[in-house]
């Protein structure tokens, strides 16, 4: 019953997880790889989804650390000052630009120009006094004020309708669109149109709705609100979006006024009015009167509001900047006045004298920088020479950062000088030259460039878009537009402390061909984060928020300029960079500027269709050019870098080698791209609970559902790209990639790369399904679903974000609870659960498995069955249907659910169903039957397949509980009543049939183990299943108890030959069995093997029986030897236990018994038995051993004082051995033994009585008398010593004695003497010769009488 386990195959190095080993010749000599870092047995393996979530979080964290504006434009710290002097960098100034002369690398792009409608020109031709124009870019409308009429039109519409306001009585001097104060107007009034005339200021309400073509449709409403401003000549208006306050000023003074308004009149205030916040008393109500010499009044030319700090900035035509603080009480306090001279003084400390910063220049515009964008920097002032001066407001205790206290002073912090060069291109589009003005080598700062002289006006939008309008030829009436933007990719890179880059920008020249009248941001204000750190990271949000578009109104139309994302730039560079031949050059240039990580991320985005470009018909469309996509694919695959494995970083040899691998930039690029797609939803909660105005409960998504769909589509494209190209991507290509591995480091690195990339692929699938689940959730009545949850679960849903939903165990649990709630609600509403299941299967896949829905439905049937009653047909129908559903979804059943179901089934006496379900669940948990192979291979310790068996065993333990419940129920209700099978008995029989007929060998094995562990061996013997034999055969190799059960099982089932084979194997086994136990097994085996039954092959039975008999003979010899040695006084006391231990166990080979024990111990009788068992037929050996045996018997008899006579000892020895040998002709050669004994008797026992004791030995052994007679006759005639001469008579006496006995025996029953006449004649003749040998008188007389009787009988 021994079992020889197969030698386990040696694991090949470099294999992937769950992939077949790649048998490469290159790997054959790298068996030491696994030793570099051995996985700790107790180390917890990180799940792929957890590893991927960590990679995404790390990418998001890195991008959230994007430097704030203050870090790359502010003055260096004192610690940096020394380094600045050593490197030659000037403090607080910069002029680094990358001015693109190649359209592919241009940071901005002119998308389209919308012409001014002809109807506007018709109205313009009727103008009598003045005409002003402007933009409401955020509503895609432009306006023109002609005399006292105001006209608005949708400049994106090909044939727009004019929206007019013609209620003004005087000439319009200024128009501004502001946000109204909350609660004053109806919600449909989203903006206020502030119209200033020479006489008054009028408020006009404006509503906006989305138009069918995608733009905005606006309508104007008269609000009957106005206030007189005669004499002020208002031309500057600014509004506060957070408070709804409106400020204005005019050409007549530098005072700041506020237009006040409220919902209705009060006792002491009208609905609207104006307040002067700078001049007090009567001067507010009197006109400006000049006596004497007239001086030019300083007037305000621009107002800028910073709601984040409650500051209002004004710029006068004398370049004086004033700062006003809006207090909570409504007051507007002038807190800082910054004349041009102070500004020049501040800048003078930063740079040497330059014509660009001098009293001759003027500040032409200011732009506020919000607290969300920068902590210290508050304002940007643009000079007429094109310089930008960044200013910070400070208070008595430091930089001003709080909106609760007013700042007290303002200082210049940084000056950005114009780009190098004195001229700009004259074309509308950049040239196709590939030359770039590089700043990568940090050239000296140029403080004398007049490229932006004269700057007519400028504007800045977050995060630093700078538009400067340069009037190179004032007579031509056209502007050159210089656009620049922070180079986010360079700023995000780790800085070289030896050569720091300060405020790098990318720039572009555009020739508008006309004069700019107004500028507006057509898209929402940019913000990558809600705090200065990370605010300006355009790369992080390039797939998350719309690209910024700027509208520029000129006298020819509205020009739309679009900020190009880095993905758009890279796609264009690939398309226009020379195709496949120029790919390497463009990729290397991109890597030099932005790093390989960013290159791989951007290339992947291009390959997935994220890049946009302007088409020939001025439409913005995705780049779907196959050539461009293919080039991006090559860039990602071929230039993605390689993983790095550094053995020197290993500090603890228990650390797995794979954990020391730093994945390639390709992995970083993939993680970065995924994080950018998910950044807006990753940490966002999946629901937001709200209370409606009427007090109702409402749940809304924290993320727009259309946004979720877009993210899902982008991830799906990414998934398709990776699946399509996985054979080319190192780390996803599978084991085939190992063919190119040359070193151990490369192999381990490739393993780490595979692990990292595989984790991200898993995450992509999970997020796609997670989003689909959320969309399904909102398709249902989500309020009812959430309210049906338990309080604890409901709180978990509130706290759950998309990251947790897609990557955590809690997310899985909550998702299952939500599915259950959805299903239960549909069941209560009478909906078809199958329909719901199909919808979930189609949209959510494995994340929200339809099996869960099936399980919930099955549980509902169980509950209904319990309500119907355990002994009703309705209950049985419900239970059968529930079982069908449970089996359908068995693979998704948790153990908690299975425990609940089995408990319910037992309570309802549905025993067979519970057994079926447990068996199905066990099979689904180990569909590869790994547990069975583990059992078949002898249950090796530490094998990973042990987990598969333990998983199955949990299911089988429940079946054991069912069995115990069945037995308990049998004590409560019998199987039969009055000879009829009861219902309970029928259900118990059904369960027994399920157990006996199960083809689950693992279950049967576990069940039999359970039987034996609980002393149920007899119950095991009663099982009629083929697996019983398999089980017992498998276990009998290790346990004698199982082997005993096996042969008992065979005997009980009348399989005697099989039982004999088991018993024979036990006798030969290595088990700790005594020799008597083995002999007992052999004896029983011979009995079983001797039993004949139909169908048994005779030759087989004979062969088995012969083997058993032969082994039994050896065992008997060993037993005799053991008993002999136990009493042998020659063995010392120390040696005896060891000898007994050696012999009282395994049946030893005959050679061992002979050479080790029998021959050295002079046990010649046993030696002869060994000859017989070994079929040793060498006659000389046999004869010599018999001779030694006789001599040994004689010596022992003589040495014994109280023992038998020597001849008696010899006779008994021969007689006993003859019986054992069954008179074997070979081992008991009578022809040799008889003369040997006669010589012994003559030499040593001449006087012994009776004289015929030698002959009596053989006669007693039933040796034929004829044989004895022939031997004696030969001895008589051969005349051998010592029977020569007179001694011949001794043989003659024996012949007479034997012949008489032979004669008497032959004539019994009327037989012929000696068997025939010939024999009788021959005997008579011999007797005659014997008579002449000198017989004794008695023998002589016997001889004569015998001859006479023979002759008489022959007559």
């Amino acid at each position: 019953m021994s079992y020889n386990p197969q030698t386990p195959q040696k694991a090949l190095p470099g294999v992937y997880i769950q992939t077949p080993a790649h048998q490469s010749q290159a790997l054959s000599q790298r068996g030491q790889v696994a030793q570099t870092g051995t996985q700790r047995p107790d180390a917890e393996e990180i799940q792929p989804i957890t590893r991927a979530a960590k990679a995404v979080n790390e990418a998001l964290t890195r991008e959230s650390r994007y430097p704030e504006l203050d870090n790359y434009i502010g003055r260096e710290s004192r610690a940096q000052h020394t380094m600045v002097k050593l490197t030659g960098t000037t403090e607080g100034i910069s002029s680094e630009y990358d001015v693109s002369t190649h359209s592919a690398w241009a940071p901005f792009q002119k998308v389209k120009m919308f012409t001014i409608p002809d109807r506007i020109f018709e109205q313009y031709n009727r103008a009598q006094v003045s005409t002003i124009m402007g933009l409401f870019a955020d509503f895609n409308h432009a306006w023109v004020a002609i005399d006292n009429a105001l006209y608005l039109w949708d400049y994106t519409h090909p044939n727009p309708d004019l929206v007019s306001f013609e209620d003004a009585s005087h000439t319009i001097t200024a128009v501004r669109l502001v946000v109204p104060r909350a609660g004053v107007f109806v919600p449909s009034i989203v903006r206020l149109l502030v119209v200033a005339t020479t006489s008054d200021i009028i408020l006009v309400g404006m509503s906006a709705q989305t138009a069918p073509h995608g733009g905005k449709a606006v309508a104007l409403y008269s609000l009957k609100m106005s206030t007189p401003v005669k004499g002020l000549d208002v031309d500057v208006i600014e509004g506060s979006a957070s408070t709804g306050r409106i400020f204005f000023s005019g050409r007549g003074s530098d005072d700041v006024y506020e237009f006040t308004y409220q919902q209705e009149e009060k006792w002491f205030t009208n609905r609207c009015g104006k307040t002067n916040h700078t001049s007090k008393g009567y001067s507010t109500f009197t006109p400006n009167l000049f006596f004497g010499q007239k001086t030019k009044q300083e007037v305000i030319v621009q107002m800028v509001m910073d709601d984040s700090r409650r500051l209002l900035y004004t710029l006068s035509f004398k370049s004086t900047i004033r700062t006003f603080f809006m207090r909570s009480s409504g007051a507007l306090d002038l807190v800082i006045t910054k004349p041009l001279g102070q500004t020049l003084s501040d800048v003078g400390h930063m740079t040497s004298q330059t014509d660009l910063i001098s009293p001759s220049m003027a500040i032409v515009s200011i732009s506020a920088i919000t607290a969300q964008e920068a902590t210290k920097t508050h304002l940007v002032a643009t000079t007429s020479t094109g310089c930008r001066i960044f200013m910070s407001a400070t208070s008595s205790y430091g930089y001003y950062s709080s909106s609760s206290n007013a700042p007290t002073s303002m200082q210049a912090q940084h000056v950005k000088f114009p780009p190098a060069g004195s001229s700009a291109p004259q074309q509308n589009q950049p040239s196709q030259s590939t030359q770039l003005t590089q700043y990568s080598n940090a050239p000296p700062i140029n403080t004398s460039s007049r490229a932006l002289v004269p700057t007519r006006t400028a504007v800045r939008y977050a995060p630093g878009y700078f538009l400067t309008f340069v009037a190179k030829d004032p007579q031509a009436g056209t502007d050159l537009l210089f656009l620049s933007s922070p180079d986010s990719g360079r700023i995000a890179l780790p800085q070289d402390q030896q050569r720091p880059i300060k405020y790098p920008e990318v720039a572009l020249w555009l020739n508008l061909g006309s004069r700019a009248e107004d500028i507006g941001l057509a898209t929402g204000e940019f913000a990558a984060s809600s705090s200065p750190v990370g605010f300006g990271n355009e790369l992080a949000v390039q797939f998350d928020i719309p690209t910024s578009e700027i509208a520029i109104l000129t006298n020819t139309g509205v020009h739309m300029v679009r900020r190009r994302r880095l993905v758009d730039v890279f796609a264009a560079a690939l398309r226009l960079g020379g195709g496949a031949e120029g790919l390497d050059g463009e990729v290397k240039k991109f890597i030099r500027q932005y790093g390989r990580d960013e290159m791989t991320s951007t290339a992947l985005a291009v390959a997935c269709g994220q890049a946009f470009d302007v088409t020939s018909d001025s439409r913005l469309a995705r780049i779907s050019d196959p050539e461009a996509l293919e080039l991006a694919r090559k860039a990602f695959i071929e230039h993605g870098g390689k993983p790095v494995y550094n053995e020197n970083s290993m500090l603890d040899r228990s650390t797995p080698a794979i954990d020391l691998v730093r994945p390639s930039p390709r992995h970083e690029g993939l993680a970065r791209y995924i994080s950018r797609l998910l950044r807006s939803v990753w940490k966002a909660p999946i629901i937001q609970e709200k209370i409606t105005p009427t007090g109702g409960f409402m749940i809304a998504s924290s993320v727009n559902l259309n946004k979720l769909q877009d993210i899902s589509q982008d991830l799906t494209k990414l998934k398709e790209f990776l699946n399509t190209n996985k054979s080319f991507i190192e780390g996803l290509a599978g084991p085939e990639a190992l063919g190119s591995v040359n070193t151990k480091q490369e192999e381990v690195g490739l393993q780490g790369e595979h692990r990292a990339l595989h984790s991200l692929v898993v995450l992509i699938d999970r997020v796609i399904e997670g989003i689909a689940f959320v969309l399904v959730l909102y398709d249902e009545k989500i309020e009812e679903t959430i309210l049906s949850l338990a309080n604890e679960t409901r709180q978990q849903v509130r706290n759950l974000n998309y990251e947790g939903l897609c990557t955590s165990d809690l997310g899985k649990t909550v998702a299952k609870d939500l599915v259950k709630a959805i299903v239960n609600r549909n069941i209560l509403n009478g909906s078809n659960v199958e329909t719901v299941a199909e919808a979930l299967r189609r949209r959510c896949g494995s994340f929200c498995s339809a099996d869960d829905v099936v399980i919930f439905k099955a549980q509902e049937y169980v509950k209904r069955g319990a309500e119907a009653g355990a002994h009703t047909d309705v209950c049985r129908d419900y239970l059968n249907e529930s079982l069908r559903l449970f089996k359908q979804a068995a693979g998704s059943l948790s153990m908690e659910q299975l425990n609940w179901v089995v408990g319910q089934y037992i309570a309802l006496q549905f025993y067979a169903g519970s057994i079926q379900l447990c068996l199905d669940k066990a099979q689904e948990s180990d569909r590869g039957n790994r547990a069975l192979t583990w059992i078949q291979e002898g249950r090796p310790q530490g094998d990973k397949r042990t987990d598969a068996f333990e998983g199955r065993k949990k299911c089988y333990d429940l079946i054991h509980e069912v069995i115990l419940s069945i037995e308990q129920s049998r004590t409560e209700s019998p199987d039969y009543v009055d000879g009829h099978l009861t219902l309970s008995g029928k259900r118990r029989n059904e369960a027994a049939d399920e157990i006996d007929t199960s083809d689950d060998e693992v279950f049967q094995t576990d069940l039999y183990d359970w039987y034996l562990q609980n002393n149920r061996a007899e119950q095991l013997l009663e099982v009629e299943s083929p697996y019983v034999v398999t089980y017992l055969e498998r276990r009998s190799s290790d346990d004698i108890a199982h082997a005993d059960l096996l042969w008992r099982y065979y005997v009980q089932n009348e399989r005697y030959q099989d039982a004999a084979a088991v018993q024979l194997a036990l006798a030969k086994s290595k088990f700790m069995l005594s020799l008597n136990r083995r002999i007992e097994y052999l004896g029983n085996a011979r009995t079983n093997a001797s039993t004949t039954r139909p169908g048994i092959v005779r030759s087989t039975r004979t062969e088995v029986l012969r083997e058993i008999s032969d082994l039994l003979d050896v065992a008997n010899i060993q037993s005799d030897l053991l008993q002999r040695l136990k009493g042998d006084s020659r063995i010392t006391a120390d040696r005896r236990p060891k000898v007994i231990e050696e012999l009282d166990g395994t049946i030893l080979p005959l050679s061992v018994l002979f050479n080790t024990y029998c021959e050295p111990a002079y046990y010649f009788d046993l030696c002869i038995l060994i000859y017989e068992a070994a079929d040793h037929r060498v006659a000389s050996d046999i004869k010599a051993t018999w001779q030694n045996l006789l001599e040994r018997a004689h010596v022992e008899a003589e040495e014994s004082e109280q023992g038998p006579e020597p001849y008696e000892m010899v006779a008994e020895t021969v007689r006993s051995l003859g019986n054992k040998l069954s008179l074997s002709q070979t081992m008991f050669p009578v022809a040799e033994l008889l003369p040997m004994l006669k010589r012994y008797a003559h030499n040593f026992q001449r006087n012994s009585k009776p004289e015929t004791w030698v002959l009596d030995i053989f006669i007693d052994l039933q040796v034929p008398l004829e044989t004895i007679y022939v031997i004696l006759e030969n001895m008589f005639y051969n005349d051998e010593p010592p029977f020569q001469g007179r001694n011949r008579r001794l043989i003659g006496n024996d012949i007479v004695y034997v012949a008489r006995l032979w004669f008497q025996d032959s004539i019994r029953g009327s037989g012929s003497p000696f068997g025939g006449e010939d024999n009788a004649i021959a005997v008579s003749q011999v007797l005659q010769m014997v008579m002449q040998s000198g017989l004794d008188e008695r023998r002589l007389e016997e001889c004569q009488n015998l001859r006479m009787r023979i002759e008489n009988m022959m007559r």
Side-chain angles (χ1 to χ4, degrees), residues 166-306:
E166 300 175 337
D167 294 346
S169 302
H170 301 85
T171 301
I172 296 174
T173 59
V175 177
R176 186 71 172 178
L177 195 65
V178 299
V179 177
R181 183 181 292 121
V184 176
F185 306 103
V186 294
S188 60
I189 301 299
V190 294
R191 292 291 187 273
L192 292 179
L193 198 59
V194 185
V195 181
T197 69
T198 56
S199 177
D200 50 14
I201 289 182
I202 306 168
L203 292 187
V204 180
M206 190 182 85
S207 65
Q209 294 179 344
T210 302
H213 67 280
K216 296 288 186 181
V218 302
L220 301 180
Y221 300 91
S222 176
L223 301 176
K224 304 299 181 180
M225 287 185 173
S226 65
T227 188
V229 291
K230 191 171 183 178
L232 295 181
D233 199 9
V234 175
D235 64 343
V236 179
I237 304 172
E238 182 63 37
S240 169
S242 62
T243 63
R245 300 173 70 176
I246 302 171
F247 303 96
F248 62 91
S249 184
R251 297 186 183 96
S253 70
D254 61 349
D255 293 332
V256 176
Y257 294 84
E258 180 178 358
F259 186 103
T260 61
Y261 60 96
Q262 58 190 15
Q263 191 171 22
E264 57 186 12
E265 292 185 4
K266 296 183 180 180
W267 283 101
F268 301 103
T269 55
N270 295 324
R271 288 188 65 199
C272 53
K274 69 176 183 294
T275 301
N276 188 336
H277 287 287
T278 52
S279 298
K280 307 298 181 182
Y282 70 93
S283 63
T284 305
F285 306 99
T286 60
N288 293 319
L289 302 176
F290 301 97
F291 301 95
Q293 185 178 3
K294 185 177 180 180
T295 60
K296 189 173 182 181
Q297 178 72 27
E298 184 174 8
V299 297
I300 295 174
V301 296
Q302 186 182 4
M303 286 185 178
V304 175
M305 178 62 65
D306 181 1

Side-chain angles (χ1 to χ4, degrees), residues 40 78 119 351 446 487 601 657 769 908 1098 1169:
R40 292 186 297 267
R78 185 181 300 272
R119 295 172 62 186
T351 181
N446 188 339
D487 194 347
S601 175
E769 294 178 354
L908 298 173
R1098 181 181 181 85
L1169 292 176

Side-chain angles (χ1 to χ4, degrees), residues 599-611:
M599 187 281 297
T600 55
S601 175
T602 307
L604 182 60
V606 175
C608 292
Q610 288 285 4

Side-chain angles (χ1 to χ4, degrees), residues 158 219 233 301 417 448 488 678 777 932 989 1111 1284:
D233 199 9
V301 296
F417 285 92
S448 60
S488 301
L678 299 178
L777 193 63
L932 179 58
N989 290 343
L1111 190 60
Q1284 296 174 334

Side-chain angles (χ1 to χ4, degrees), residues 35 247 797 1030 1151 1210:
Q35 299 178 7
F247 303 96
V797 176
T1030 304
S1151 59
V1210 171

Side-chain angles (χ1 to χ4, degrees), residues 417-437:
F417 285 92
S422 59
S423 61
Q426 301 299 313
Q427 296 81 9
N428 285 335
Q429 294 292 337
S431 68
Q432 299 298 316
S433 171
T434 59
Q435 296 180 355
L436 296 174
T437 303

